[in-house]
Amino acid sequence: MVKQNASLDASFWINICSSTVVEYVRDYFILYVPTVVAQEIRYPLDVLGIEAYSPTLFNRWVQNGTVTVQDPKSSVNWYQQGENGAIALALEHNYLLLIDDANPYHRAKAAGLRVVGTAEFIILLYDHERLNYEAAANAIRQIRTSKRQKRTAMIVLETLKRLKGK
């Protein structure tokens, strides 16, 4: 399997860490993150002194080279700084964009970027038989996203299950 270069937004990182599938991310993506997103992810640890799982794992992945901090040369002014940085990096290098915030997700797609949300990644893992149906459904339930997005993801997951004959 060929890994894809991907620009990481904090929304995707936080969701993927709250699910049970974070370890699969490095099997599919070569992760790049702008400094402003890295600061968002590290905020609980660096500013509040809270040794939470998400920033601790992020720091470990930066230290071992799983995540590379890379800033875009250009910028966009669409949303908040982190989302703008992740979008600009994806645009500049033709990376996938890993993001879960609904408005930036849809705007980036409309701008021609290849965008992946956490729910889509979980469905991909099910399709690739890395997760069984129950594990995929539980992972979707764990992520922080709208009821509509969860419902849509569960419909896609159920449809895929039926197509697979399981």
Side-chain angles (χ1 to χ4, degrees), residues 42-97:
R42 291 176 171 142
Y43 183 85
L45 186 61
D46 293 350
V47 176
L48 303 175
I50 299 169
E51 293 190 29
Y53 176 70
S54 172
T56 302
L57 180 64
F58 179 80
N59 282 341
R60 190 171 356 161
W61 282 19
V62 168
Q63 290 169 356
N64 71 21
T66 301
V67 174
T68 301
V69 177
Q70 179 184 31
D71 290 314
K73 293 182 177 91
S74 60
S75 63
V76 297
N77 191 22
W78 297 356
Y79 296 99
Q80 296 177 0
Q81 285 185 5
E83 295 153 345
N84 289 339
I87 291 165
L89 190 62
L91 282 167
E92 193 171 289
H93 296 282
N94 196 31
Y95 293 162
L96 282 170
L97 175 62

Side-chain angles (χ1 to χ4, degrees), residues 42 67 69 72 76 79 87 104-105 108 117 119 122 131 142 149 152 160:
R42 291 176 171 142
V67 174
V69 177
V76 297
Y79 296 99
I87 291 165
Y105 173 100
I122 293 166
L131 298 175
Q142 291 172 350
Q149 287 174 309
T152 300
L160 190 56

Side-chain angles (χ1 to χ4, degrees), residues 81-139:
Q81 285 185 5
E83 295 153 345
N84 289 339
I87 291 165
L89 190 62
L91 282 167
E92 193 171 289
H93 296 282
N94 196 31
Y95 293 162
L96 282 170
L97 175 62
L98 304 178
I99 192 167
D100 279 330
D101 294 317
N103 290 334
Y105 173 100
H106 293 296
R107 173 117 186 241
K109 269 198 159 185
L113 283 170
R114 298 170 298 139
V115 184
V116 176
T118 304
E120 293 163 314
F121 181 63
I122 293 166
I123 291 166
L124 174 86
L125 292 173
Y126 174 73
D127 189 41
H128 287 184
E129 299 183 353
R130 306 285 304 271
L131 298 175
N132 64 30
Y133 177 83
E134 292 77 22
N138 285 335

Side-chain angles (χ1 to χ4, degrees), residues 15-16 18-22 24 28 117-145 149-162 164 166:
N15 265 337
I16 208 74
S18 70
S19 75
T20 56
V21 300
V22 66
Y24 294 106
Y28 289 83
T118 304
E120 293 163 314
F121 181 63
I122 293 166
I123 291 166
L124 174 86
L125 292 173
Y126 174 73
D127 189 41
H128 287 184
E129 299 183 353
R130 306 285 304 271
L131 298 175
N132 64 30
Y133 177 83
E134 292 77 22
N138 285 335
I140 289 170
R141 285 186 206 103
Q142 291 172 350
I143 61 176
R144 293 182 209 151
T145 189
Q149 287 174 309
K150 282 186 182 183
R151 190 173 25 250
T152 300
M154 292 302 291
I155 290 168
V156 170
L157 185 64
E158 180 65 30
T159 302
L160 190 56
K161 177 182 174 187
R162 289 180 186 171
K164 289 179 168 236
K166 294 183 178 183

Side-chain angles (χ1 to χ4, degrees), residues 3-23:
K3 291 183 184 183
Q4 303 254 346
N5 291 329
S7 177
L8 176 66
D9 180 63
S11 61
F12 184 92
W13 180 258
I14 291 165
N15 265 337
I16 208 74
C17 284
S18 70
S19 75
T20 56
V21 300
V22 66
E23 292 298 325

